[in-house]
Amino acid sequence: MSKNVLILSGSPRKGGNSDLLCDEFMRGVLEAGNTVEKIRVSEKKIGYCTACYYCQTSGGVCAKKDDMAEVLQKMIDADVIVLSSRVYFYSIDAQLKTLIDRTVARWTEVKD
Ligand SMILES: Cc1cc2nc3c(=O)[nH]c(=O)nc-3n(C[C@H](O)[C@H](O)[C@H](O)COP(=O)(O)O)c2cc1C
């Protein structure tokens, strides 16, 4: 059965190393008959989680009004999520970490 794949590309370098790997992964996903969307995280407006916990009393709605609600809905709808990060000082990059932190509003709805 065809899968709905979401690729979250962390690097701001369009056509850079990790972004190219995302494109190659996307090619394989399509060749195998699945659907895929790639989001370049740096092109989205995603602010930091401030641990205000508004989301805990609002049914998963975040107090910050930016692009994260749309991205998080896509994460919840996806069968497969690909997270692509550069290695930055032995860790994941800030773009992807910021996005992961913001999933706190609805992370329990993300499959598997
Ligand atoms: C601030 C900074 C920190 C980095 N830290 C690491 C690191 O800890 N380990 C590593 O192997 N490469 C490190 N790199 C190299 C990047 O991971 C490498 O250039 C990577 O290919 C960049 O990914 P991109 O082409 O997708 O943007 C660092 C680069 C920068 C600018």
Side-chain angles (χ1 to χ4, degrees):
M1 202 175 90
S2 152
K3 301 262 188 201
N4 172 25
V5 180
L6 178 67
I7 301 175
L8 299 170
S9 179
S11 175
R13 287 194 341 126
K14 195 171 193 169
N17 295 312
S18 45
D19 198 47
L20 273 177
L21 289 171
C22 287
D23 289 343
E24 287 304 301
F25 192 91
M26 187 154 66
R27 192 161 61 85
V29 168
L30 290 171
E31 278 173 12
N34 301 289
T35 58
V36 64
E37 179 180 0
K38 182 179 87 168
I39 294 176
R40 301 194 66 251
V41 176
S42 65
E43 291 176 1
K44 296 288 180 187
K45 187 169 177 261
I46 301 176
Y48 303 116
C49 174
T50 56
C52 71
Y53 289 110
Y54 175 82
C55 57
Q56 307 283 293
T57 55
S58 67
V61 176
C62 181
K64 282 190 191 291
K65 301 303 169 209
D66 57 17
D67 293 334
M68 189 57 202
E70 170 207 334
V71 173
L72 187 48
Q73 186 60 54
K74 287 180 179 187
M75 291 175 79
I76 289 163
D77 293 341
D79 299 308
V80 175
I81 300 170
V82 177
L83 299 172
S84 164
S85 173
R86 302 166 289 174
V87 179
Y88 254 30
F89 282 104
Y90 307 95
S91 189
I92 66 168
D93 61 42
Q95 288 80 10
L96 221 52
K97 182 65 170 85
T98 301
L99 181 149
I100 290 169
D101 290 349
R102 286 287 303 283
T103 65
V104 70
R106 300 180 64 190
W107 69 274
T108 55
E109 296 175 65
V110 177
K111 294 182 199 77
D112 302 323

